[in-house]
Amino acid sequence: MKSMNTNQPKVFIKTYGCQMNKLDSELSIGSLAKSGYAFAEEEKDADVILLNTCSVRDKAEHKVYSQLGSLRDQKEKNPELILGVLGCMAQNEGDRIFKRMPHVNLVCGTRMFSKLPELLEEINGTNKRIIAVDEDGEVSFDRLVTQRQNRYNAFVSVMRGCDNYCSYCIVPYVRGREFSRPVTDIIDEVKRLADDGCKEVTLLGQNVNSYGKGLNGEVTLATLLRKLDPIEGIERIRFVTSHPRDMTKEIIEAVGELPGVCEYLHMPAQSGSDKILERMRRQYTSAHYRELIEMAKSLVPDIKIASDFIVGFPGETEGDFEDTVKLLNDVRCQNSFIFKYSPRTGTAAAEFPDDVQEETKKGRNHILLDLHKKISTEENRKIVGKSVEVLVEGTSKSDAGRLSGRTRQNQIVAFDLPEGSNQAGISSLMSGKLVNIDIVDSTDLTLFGDLSEIAFDKMTH
Ligand code: SAH
Ligand code: SF4
Ligand code: F3S
């Protein structure tokens, strides 16, 4: 690595896993920027390569090991290169990473992110190997709001950790005990984001709807939403992920009543079978899940639901799986994230025999994916012919001739601009704005629209 005085060292961070990891990477970028680092666009130009990792399924860890393997050449050519593994897999694997990957310099767990600049400084020029996975380390929420991946939307952590110990899940082991962040800190951060041009915030927690537990006073997610909603400049508020056991009428009412809070709930069901839910230690029944969805749909008529499902959990019979299919069919989730069960060492379910054959897991995975595709295609088709509010994010990733953004219900909308218009100019003019788009076509994943002439005139004049 180059000396700090002569030239700014360049860092490249690659992020795996969930939104919490994306946020941690962003916070690290902020603290490294403060400490004088610059950022490389590509790995090959970096002096420091950091992988922020996930352990939730075996496949997630495999990906990182294979990525580390493929960085061996770069490290051999440039022994000064610092290679670090951060986050959940660093916490979970610890020095096994050093044993398997002798060219890795740093293993930095989920509660040591705030030490990153010091740790890198210590390694700089020495090729030392440091492991920092202290479980009592401090989680810092400190943020440089100007250092953000997206201009118009931002993640805001409202709590950390998880105490639920669902029997299949590694998260409580790698992220530690659940704790909520004080309301005033959250309000302050959201205000600073608004001042920096942010229009949409997504509140993050592994179990976001139990927010407030352990804080003094009557603080809940519902009261937090009511305090954040009036903040000037913030047009949309989302929150993920909700646990069905902790969902309350007050939260759903807040979603229905508050103009800024989006009509969108990510509330994983995991399974439709009560026997499996019990073995998963989820602490609700499929009937309770259905009641919550009914309440949400009656209090917030245009709400969309997203859910996660695990197929092939130990002991899942054909009948249990049918219950899951039925649940998805009845709830008609707009978005479903479907996973094959992956045993995680140290969790309670790892003690159960992993008795559903891989072929059966694959088959069930396909059946749910196909059903999800059918439902989201049908649900999206219902929006064709309607006008929806879109927060424009910029030029579409898949088609440079279009702009794209999201609806309040988190659906992606791609839309054409009027013919002959100056597309690049309009893209920058419209990004970050709320516009009404007429939906003319749809697939399972995307709504396609036209910007109405009226809306276009309003935007450009
Ligand atoms: N905190 C969130 C989810 C965290 S993990 C929540 O409780 O809703 C994201 C998803 O990964 C989970 O909802 C679950 O569906 C899936 N998952 C977790 N552990 C898994 C495992 N061992 N095998 C397969 N999928 C798993
Ligand atoms: Fe894992 Fe359950 Fe906690 Fe979600 S609520 S992070 S699935 S233990
Ligand atoms: Fe997220 Fe994966 Fe960690 S899902 S909390 S990055 S184990």
Side-chain angles (χ1 to χ4, degrees):
M1 190 165 75
K2 295 170 195 94
S3 138
M4 292 258 205
N5 304 329
T6 52
N7 215 335
Q8 279 187 303
K10 286 203 190 109
V11 184
F12 180 87
I13 301 192
K14 188 172 165 88
T15 309
Y16 300 81
C18 66
Q19 287 140 325
M20 200 65 93
N21 264 20
K22 289 193 184 136
L23 176 62
D24 282 339
S25 290
E26 204 169 287
L27 301 188
S28 305
I29 287 170
S31 74
L32 291 170
K34 265 195 211 162
S35 309
Y37 286 83
F39 296 91
E41 295 280 326
E42 290 179 63
E43 280 166 9
K44 65 174 180 42
D45 304 322
D47 305 299
V48 180
I49 299 177
L50 303 173
L51 308 184
N52 189 10
T53 59
C54 173
S55 279
V56 81
R57 283 167 290 275
D58 196 40
K59 221 163 114 187
E61 291 194 343
H62 269 301
K63 259 198 224 161
V64 174
Y65 273 125
S66 91
Q67 178 69 12
L68 288 172
S70 67
L71 286 168
R72 196 173 280 133
D73 278 356
Q74 193 174 336
K75 175 80 181 173
E76 265 166 27
K77 281 191 203 122
N78 172 17
E80 300 262 284
L81 173 74
I82 296 182
L83 191 54
V85 179
L86 319 178
C88 296
M89 181 177 152
Q91 196 73 41
N92 193 37
E93 287 283 278
D95 67 356
R96 281 199 293 272
I97 297 175
F98 277 166
K99 289 199 183 104
R100 279 180 67 171
M101 297 286 154
H103 55 299
V104 170
N105 298 97
L106 174 66
V107 170
C108 171
T110 53
R111 273 151 289 176
M112 299 303 279
F113 274 89
S114 56
K115 299 265 183 316
L116 203 49
E118 294 155 49
L119 294 166
L120 292 177
E121 194 50 56
E122 200 179 328
I123 298 169
N124 185 14
T126 66
N127 215 3
K128 259 193 204 166
R129 310 183 86 196
I130 300 183
I131 177 158
V133 288
D134 190 348
E135 297 199 348
D136 301 320
E138 202 182 306
V139 179
S140 160
F141 292 108
D142 201 25
R143 173 178 221 163
L144 200 64
V145 291
T146 48
Q147 205 76 46
R148 292 190 282 120
Q149 298 282 298
N150 299 318
R151 209 86 223 95
Y152 306 109
N153 39 46
F155 294 126
V156 173
S157 174
V158 301
M159 62 191 299
R160 289 279 175 163
C162 181
D163 285 346
N164 279 330
Y165 291 95
C166 300
S167 64
Y168 50 81
C169 185
I170 194 90
V171 171
Y173 301 89
V174 292
R175 286 278 178 176
R177 298 292 63 72
E178 175 178 313
F179 71 93
S180 292
R181 189 178 175 194
V183 181
T184 46
D185 283 15
I186 299 169
I187 295 176
D188 178 59
E189 182 173 321
V190 173
K191 280 188 179 155
R192 284 188 291 126
L193 286 164
D195 289 343
D196 194 53
C198 179
K199 299 288 164 74
E200 175 177 308
V201 291
T202 301
L203 311 181
L204 292 187
Q206 293 298 345
N207 191 11
V208 73
N209 53 344
S210 78
Y211 172 76
K213 228 169 53 185
L215 290 177
N216 292 330
E218 295 291 292
V219 195
T220 64
L221 180 65
T223 59
L224 177 67
L225 290 171
R226 288 184 191 276
K227 291 214 163 91
L228 296 177
D229 190 63
I231 293 177
E232 188 110 17
I234 299 295
E235 312 268 8
R236 291 177 170 187
I237 302 172
R238 305 182 191 280
F239 54 92
V240 291
T241 309
S242 293
H243 191 297
R245 186 204 53 206
D246 296 312
M247 186 48 80
T248 61
K249 191 166 178 218
E250 287 69 33
I251 295 174
I252 298 175
E253 280 169 347
V255 175
E257 287 167 22
L258 300 173
V261 179
C262 291
E263 298 75 16
Y264 173 78
L265 274 190
H266 185 174
M267 186 165 71
Q270 311 297 3
S271 170
S273 152
D274 288 344
K275 179 191 95 191
I276 296 297
L277 286 172
E278 198 179 332
R279 303 189 85 192
M280 287 178 165
R281 295 202 193 136
R282 289 288 288 180
Q283 306 173 72
Y284 54 86
T285 60
S286 128
H288 181 65
Y289 187 84
R290 285 165 201 267
E291 279 162 25
L292 289 172
I293 300 294
E294 261 169 44
M295 189 204 296
K297 286 186 177 171
S298 78
L299 292 174
V300 193
D302 45 359
I303 200 159
K304 291 282 180 203
I305 310 292
S307 181
D308 301 356
F309 295 96
I310 297 177
V311 296
F313 187 78
E316 185 187 70
T317 61
E318 210 42 54
D320 295 319
F321 176 64
E322 283 307 317
D323 288 342
T324 302
V325 171
K326 195 159 178 333
L327 183 72
L328 176 54
N329 238 327
D330 293 345
V331 172
R332 295 186 68 78
C333 303
Q334 169 69 35
N335 246 319
S336 297
F337 303 93
I338 299 157
F339 308 105
K340 285 185 292 171
Y341 171 68
S342 163
R344 309 311 291 134
T345 308
T347 62
E351 304 299 315
F352 304 147
D354 184 16
D355 56 1
V356 180
Q357 297 305 305
E358 184 56 28
E359 278 312 300
T360 312
K361 281 185 190 170
K362 269 193 195 148
R364 291 178 185 170
N365 195 30
H366 271 129
I367 292 171
L368 274 199
L369 282 172
D370 286 349
L371 177 58
H372 159 242
K373 188 166 177 172
K374 175 174 168 284
I375 292 170
S376 42
T377 306
E378 288 169 2
E379 289 297 310
N380 277 351
R381 204 170 290 142
K382 289 182 192 162
I383 305 170
V384 174
K386 294 187 178 153
S387 174
V388 293
E389 183 202 273
V390 174
L391 177 63
V392 182
E393 286 169 13
T395 306
S396 161
K397 283 196 188 99
S398 53
D399 180 349
R402 281 181 164 144
L403 298 190
S404 78
R406 280 178 193 263
T407 67
R408 290 175 65 86
Q409 286 83 1
N410 214 21
Q411 294 139 314
I412 298 168
V413 178
F415 60 97
D416 296 324
L417 295 167
E419 266 179 46
S421 56
N422 164 1
Q423 301 210 327
I426 290 174
S427 173
S428 65
L429 195 67
M430 288 187 61
S431 294
K433 303 258 165 47
L434 290 174
V435 285
N436 288 323
I437 302 287
D438 299 326
I439 300 303
V440 294
D441 201 359
S442 67
T443 64
D444 57 329
L445 296 175
T446 313
L447 301 170
F448 296 98
D450 273 340
L451 180 66
S452 73
E453 293 288 338
I454 307 165
F456 180 68
D457 282 348
K458 245 177 43 197
M459 296 294 316
T460 51
H461 290 105

